[in-house]
Amino acid sequence: MLKQDPLQYRELAAKAVQDKQLHKALGKLRDKFGRNAVNLYNQLSPEHDPRQDAKAVRRKIVDNLDVVLETLAANIRARGGHVHLAETGEDAVEYCLGVAKRFQVRRVVKGKSMLSEEIHLNDALEAAGIETVETDLGEYIVQLKGEAPSHIIAPAIHYTREQVGELFAEKLGEPYTDDPPTLTAMARKALREKMLGADMGISGGNTACAETGHVTIVSNEGNIRMATTMPRVHVVLLGIEKIAATLEDHDILLRMLTRAAAGQKISTYVSYVGGPRLDEEPDGPEEFHLVLVDNGRSRILADPDFREVLHCVRCGGCLNVCPVYMAIGGHSYGSPYCGPIGAVFTPLTQGINACHHLCQGETLCGACKQVCPVDNDLPRMLSLLRFKLANGDARWNVRPQSLPTKLVFGAWSVIMRHRRMYDAMSLLAGFCQRLLPRKNGWIRRLPGPLGGWTRGRDFPPLAKKSFARRWARRDTTRRDA
Amino acid sequence: MSRIIERVRQALGVRANDGRDTLVFAKSDDFVHCADAKATERDGWMESIRIEAKALNLQVHECPDLDACGEAIASLARERDPEWGTVKQIMRWSDPILEGLGLEGRLGAEIAVKSVPGADSFSQSEREEFRREVIASYIGLTTADYLLADTASLVLLGGLGRARSVSLVPSIHIAVVPRSRMLASYRQMLSLLSAMELPSNVSIITGPSKTADIEATLVHGAHGPREMHLFVVAS
Ligand code: SF4
C-alpha cells in the first residue's frame, strides 16, 4: 500500500485539483449522498432538531466514558467474549496477530474498518503471511488497486465505472464492462469464495451497547454479516469512544448515522453481536474478541476544547458537502480520516505540526457543521488548531509554525488598529500594485512570500480610491447640498 | 484493562464511578413505555411497509393463512433458478410457523427442503455438515420476531433452530411473519429488546443486500441475498 503522509497535502491536492476523472466521480457522491442526506433532514419536523438529541447522547457517553467502558467489557465477558483494551495501535495489531496465530489462521476476511487503516493492520497481517481480503466492495476495489480508501463510507468513490471495469478485467480476468451491476456480480462471486473459506473475520463496529454487551455493526452489502458469521473467529476493532450506553441511545444514534451517511432511514443490515455462538446454534464464530483501541483518544478526551471531536459517529456526511474535499479528494489528506473530520482528528492523533496542512486547507465555510448528525463544531476546532499553529502550544507540543508569518500577522494587527498607519499603507500598496502583472484586471502574481496567495488563483486589485476616501467624499458632497 | 480505564478517568478528571452509572444508563419514561404501545393502527402499518418495501426492492406478499402462503412459496421456489450450481435446495429455520407451510409435501422430491437441526450442542463435524447444506441452498426460509412498520425491517433473534446463515448465504431470502408480530417502530422494538435477556446475535434486516460503491449507483445483490420476499400472514 502507498505510504500515507499528511505533509504531501499540498502536492497531492494541487494534482487532484486538475484531475477531471476525480471530479466526475466525486460529483456523483455530492449529488446522490450529499443531497439525499439534506432531503431527509428537511423532512424532519422543524420544531425539533434530532441532531441536538444525538449530540446530547454522545456528550453523555463521552463525558462518562470510564463507566461505559467498564460496563461494556464486563457484559461482553459475561457472554463468553474476550475483551482487550489496547493503549496503542501497535498493541492492538499485536493482539490480533496473537489471536490469528493461536487459530493458525491462513486467511482473514475483513469488514470495512477505519480503525484498522489507522493502525495499519492489513500490512501487519500480510507481513505475517496471512492473506487479508477486504470484503466491502469499495474497499475491495481499493485493495486490488493497491491504494488506500479515499472516503470514510464510500472508499472507492474516486473511481469512475470505466476505471473499475479495467481493474476487474486485469485482476479478476473477467471481460471488460463498465456496467455497475455486472461489476458488482463479479465481485460477489470472487468474494463469496474468499468469505466462505476464511478462518478469521475482522470488522469494525459502528457503536456498541454497554448495557447489553453487544457490538453494533451496520452494512448494506451483507459482507460484514458474512465475515462475522462464517469464519471460526471474529475480532472487532472499536475506538474506545464509539460506544453507546443503552439501546435507547441506539435509537437516535443509528437513525442519525444512516441518514447522514447515505440518506437512508436505516441500513440493510444492523447486527448486534455479543460474543461467540451459543451451544444450540450450528453456526456463528467459536470465539469472539473485542479490541478497544485508545491510540491517542484519551489525550483528546483530556482537552475540553477538543473533546467534542470524539462525539463523531464516522458517518462521512461532512465529506459529502465539503467544497475542499470535493476539489481535492480523500487521498490528498494522507490519512485514513479525510475531509473536515480528518482535518481535525488526524492532527490530534498524529501531531499538529506534522499535519498542519490539513487544518489550513479547509475553508471554514461551515457546511460540515450543518450536515453533521451530532452537530460537531468542526470549524471551531479547525480555527483553534490554526491558532495553536500560529502561537505554539505546550500541551500539544506545537511549535509556532513560522516566525516570519507570525511577525507579518503581528504587524498587520498593529496596522489594522491604527487609522493613520492603515491609510498610509493602503496608499503605498495602491501605488505599488501597478508594478504587478495582471490578467483581465486581476493580479496574477504577488511578490515574495505573498506569492502563495496567487499560486492557485488570481488576486483582486485594490480599488483606485479606497472605500474610506469615497465615503468621506460622499459625506462632504451631502453636507454641501 | 484497568490501566486504560485509569487513563480515561484521569482525562475526565474523575476518580471513580461515583454513582454516575445511574445517570448514564437511565432510560426515559417515554422509551420504556413505548414497548407496550397499543396496536390499534395496524392497517396504516401495512401500508407503510408496502411503501418502504417498494423503495427497498423488498417484495411483499400478503396471505390469508399459512396454507395459501405455503402454496405461494412453493410456486416461487419452482420458478427460481439457483445462482450457484444446479441443485434446488431450501434451508429453513426449525420453527412451528414454517413447519405449518407444509413445503415438504408440496414440493415432494422436486426440491429438497432441509431444516436447521435443533440440538443442545453440535460437534465440529455436525457444524461443517450444516454449513455445507446452507451453502448448497438457493433459498433461505426464516420467520422474524418482529416486523417494523416504519422501516419495513425484520428483526431476527438468534437461538435454537434459528441459524444466522439462513438469512444470509442463500441467494434468496424468504421470511414468513404473522401480522400480529408487527410493531410501529424501530424505537418500539428497541424498547422491547431492552426489557429482555438478549441472545448473542440479533439481525435487523431491511431489504435485500445492496451497494452503491461504484459511482454511487445503487445495485442490489452485493454479498447477501439478492432477492428478498416478505410474506405477511393474516392468521
Ligand atoms: S464529524 Fe459529523 S459529519 Fe463528519 S463524520 Fe463525524 S459525525 Fe459525520
Side-chain angles (χ1 to χ4, degrees):
Chain A
M1 190 184 289
L2 293 178
K3 177 111 182 63
Q4 296 192 319
D5 180 3
L7 278 173
Q8 292 180 329
Y9 180 84
R10 278 184 130 159
E11 215 180 292
L12 294 175
K15 248 194 245 147
V17 165
Q18 311 291 342
D19 186 342
K20 292 223 174 64
Q21 293 261 14
L22 177 71
H23 294 145
K24 181 174 163 234
L26 291 178
K28 302 242 158 120
L29 177 76
R30 179 191 53 220
D31 294 346
K32 295 201 171 139
F33 286 23
R35 200 158 290 162
N36 272 348
V38 172
N39 285 345
L40 266 181
Y41 276 153
N42 289 343
Q43 284 170 21
L44 300 168
S45 104
E47 301 96 65
H48 184 81
D49 184 355
R51 269 168 283 202
Q52 297 309 319
D53 297 344
K55 186 190 182 80
V57 168
R58 286 300 295 152
R59 178 182 290 142
K60 171 192 84 171
I61 293 158
V62 169
D63 288 353
N64 295 285
L65 199 55
D66 57 328
V67 176
V68 184
L69 271 172
E70 262 182 339
T71 311
L72 176 71
N75 284 331
I76 296 243
R77 284 181 179 138
R79 328 178 131 270
H82 302 267
V83 181
H84 178 73
L85 277 127
E87 213 165 302
T88 60
E90 293 89 63
D91 180 354
V93 167
E94 208 174 295
Y95 184 83
C96 293
L97 286 174
V99 177
K101 203 165 282 165
R102 204 149 9 96
F103 279 85
Q104 299 172 330
V105 169
R106 275 158 315 164
R107 181 192 291 154
V108 166
V109 282
K110 290 184 62 217
K112 184 151 58 66
S113 149
M114 298 308 294
L115 186 52
S116 76
E117 300 285 336
E118 177 185 326
I119 65 179
H120 309 294
L121 180 62
N122 288 15
D123 293 346
L125 288 168
E126 295 274 1
I130 299 168
E131 183 191 358
T132 308
V133 185
E134 293 289 349
T135 58
D136 172 87
L137 176 56
E139 290 277 347
Y140 181 60
I141 293 170
V142 168
Q143 191 184 35
L144 282 183
K145 197 80 183 168
E147 271 191 6
S150 76
H151 187 284
I152 295 181
I153 64 150
I157 200 64
H158 55 294
Y159 293 126
T160 57
R161 59 181 76 196
E162 293 83 8
Q163 287 172 310
V164 177
E166 280 157 25
L167 179 71
F168 280 12
E170 184 197 326
K171 301 275 172 167
L172 303 182
E174 298 273 7
Y176 173 85
T177 168
D178 59 13
D179 174 45
T182 315
L183 290 167
T184 304
M186 289 173 184
R188 173 176 170 88
K189 188 165 138 245
L191 284 170
R192 184 178 166 92
E193 279 160 29
K194 300 281 184 196
M195 288 188 285
L196 294 178
D199 325 277
M200 181 161 148
I202 297 182
S203 75
N206 295 84
T207 181
C209 180
E211 188 184 52
T212 71
H214 287 79
V215 175
T216 309
I217 319 174
V218 306
S219 95
N220 281 319
E221 298 185 358
N223 63 313
I224 299 202
R225 278 191 73 204
M226 281 281 206
T228 62
T229 301
M230 303 313 280
R232 291 166 67 198
V233 194
H234 175 199
V235 179
V236 182
L237 292 165
L238 200 65
I240 51 168
E241 83 285 14
K242 282 182 75 183
I243 310 178
T246 64
L247 285 175
E248 180 173 11
D249 295 347
H250 279 70
D251 176 41
I252 177 90
L253 290 180
L254 283 183
R255 268 189 295 143
M256 294 308 284
L257 171 69
T258 51
R259 274 208 167 96
Q264 284 179 284
K265 267 196 184 168
I266 190 170
S267 302
T268 305
Y269 301 107
V270 179
S271 303
Y272 294 79
V273 186
R277 69 177 189 90
L278 306 171
D279 285 342
E280 67 263 30
E281 285 182 298
D283 62 3
E286 289 160 44
E287 264 202 53
F288 174 87
H289 294 259
L290 170 62
V291 187
L292 291 157
V293 185
D294 182 333
N295 207 26
R297 286 160 175 78
S298 55
R299 185 161 181 220
I300 301 177
L301 190 66
D303 187 334
D305 282 332
F306 288 117
R307 187 181 288 180
E308 185 183 4
V309 80
L310 297 178
H311 295 175
C312 171
V313 296
R314 304 268 188 276
C315 68
C318 52
L319 280 57
N320 302 345
V321 296
C322 175
V324 177
Y325 177 88
M326 286 301 158
I328 67 176
H331 284 156
S332 303
Y333 293 81
S335 131
Y337 303 101
C338 50
I341 178 63
V344 176
F345 188 75
T346 307
L348 293 175
T349 46
Q350 292 188 22
I352 296 175
N353 282 106
C355 303
H356 66 98
H357 290 315
L358 304 192
C359 57
Q360 289 167 333
E362 297 295 309
T363 62
L364 303 183
C365 69
C368 53
K369 180 173 189 303
Q370 270 180 359
V371 81
C372 177
V374 293
D375 190 35
N376 250 342
D377 199 343
L378 295 173
R380 176 186 65 80
M381 291 184 272
L382 286 168
S383 307
L384 193 60
L385 285 170
R386 289 187 189 180
F387 181 84
K388 292 195 192 305
L389 277 166
N391 296 293
D393 184 282
R395 176 178 206 161
W396 287 96
N397 306 323
V398 186
R399 285 169 278 105
Q401 202 190 359
S402 138
L403 201 55
T405 317
K406 194 166 155 66
L407 288 177
V408 170
F409 277 103
W412 174 251
S413 124
V414 173
I415 292 168
M416 287 291 284
R417 272 176 284 151
H418 296 85
R419 182 79 240 181
R420 289 252 169 80
M421 277 196 210
Y422 181 82
D423 285 342
M425 199 201 63
S426 62
L427 258 175
L428 185 70
F431 179 75
C432 291
Q433 71 173 351
R434 290 182 211 176
L435 308 172
L436 299 173
R438 302 236 182 174
K439 185 173 128 198
N440 302 333
W442 288 58
I443 297 171
R444 286 263 307 277
R445 230 172 301 119
L446 286 170
L450 299 178
W453 288 76
T454 47
R455 193 162 19 229
R457 57 193 179 306
D458 298 335
F459 197 80
L462 295 175
K464 286 222 177 68
K465 257 185 209 144
S466 75
F467 177 76
R469 275 173 67 196
R470 281 170 62 190
W471 182 258
R473 268 280 306 271
R474 191 185 125 101
D475 217 28
T476 46
T477 29
R478 198 170 53 210
R479 230 175 290 142
D480 292 348
Chain B
M1 165 84 195
S2 52
R3 239 217 7 265
I4 297 219
I5 301 283
E6 255 342 290
R7 275 196 2 190
V8 169
R9 291 221 156 110
Q10 237 168 42
L12 292 170
V14 295
R15 284 253 167 77
N17 180 343
D18 295 333
R20 276 175 294 137
D21 52 347
T22 47
L23 179 96
V24 176
F25 295 109
K27 285 175 200 112
S28 70
D29 285 349
D30 168 54
F31 178 73
V32 173
H33 289 136
C34 90
D36 37 60
K38 287 276 171 303
T40 44
E41 302 163 37
R42 286 250 160 99
D43 292 329
W45 290 358
M46 204 55 229
E47 184 53 28
S48 155
I49 287 171
R50 270 185 231 116
I51 294 169
E52 292 297 324
K54 198 155 187 207
L56 293 166
N57 209 9
L58 163 66
Q59 307 188 37
V60 181
H61 315 260
E62 288 170 76
C63 304
D65 51 32
L66 277 183
D67 191 49
C69 185
E71 201 43 55
I73 292 176
S75 67
L76 186 72
R78 285 188 204 103
E79 259 167 46
R80 294 295 186 272
D81 288 321
E83 179 183 2
W84 324 103
T86 52
V87 181
K88 282 192 164 189
Q89 173 171 309
I90 299 176
M91 176 60 77
R92 68 160 172 80
W93 272 9
S94 171
D95 183 286
I97 291 183
L98 303 178
E99 272 150 32
L101 295 169
L103 281 182
E104 289 81 348
R106 287 177 213 277
L107 292 167
E110 210 181 331
I111 299 172
V113 182
K114 309 231 159 157
S115 63
V116 177
D120 289 343
S121 67
F122 292 90
S123 69
Q124 177 86 16
S125 63
E126 284 167 329
R127 280 191 287 131
E128 274 165 20
E129 172 61 19
F130 173 71
R131 185 189 171 92
R132 269 195 297 277
E133 297 288 5
V134 177
I135 294 173
S137 303
Y138 74 130
I139 294 178
L141 185 56
T142 71
T143 174
D145 297 271
Y146 307 109
L147 169 58
L148 311 183
D150 64 343
T151 51
S153 308
L154 293 165
V155 183
L156 277 59
L157 304 181
L160 184 74
R162 306 162 73 86
R164 315 169 183 201
S165 51
V166 179
S167 59
L168 176 67
V169 176
S171 312
I172 305 171
H173 176 202
I174 301 178
V176 179
V177 188
R179 233 176 126 86
S180 57
R181 294 197 189 159
M182 271 197 272
L183 296 178
S185 64
Y186 194 79
R187 186 175 170 82
Q188 189 183 6
M189 177 271 296
L190 287 178
S191 172
L192 276 166
L193 293 192
S194 141
M196 61 171 92
E197 181 76 32
L198 288 187
S200 52
N201 189 276
V202 180
S203 296
I204 298 153
I205 302 177
T206 312
S209 148
K210 63 174 179 268
T211 181
D213 271 344
I214 301 175
E215 283 197 5
T217 308
L218 186 68
V219 178
H220 287 279
H223 306 301
R226 51 181 190 174
E227 195 177 319
M228 189 173 162
H229 297 264
L230 166 63
F231 286 84
V232 183
V233 187
S235 60

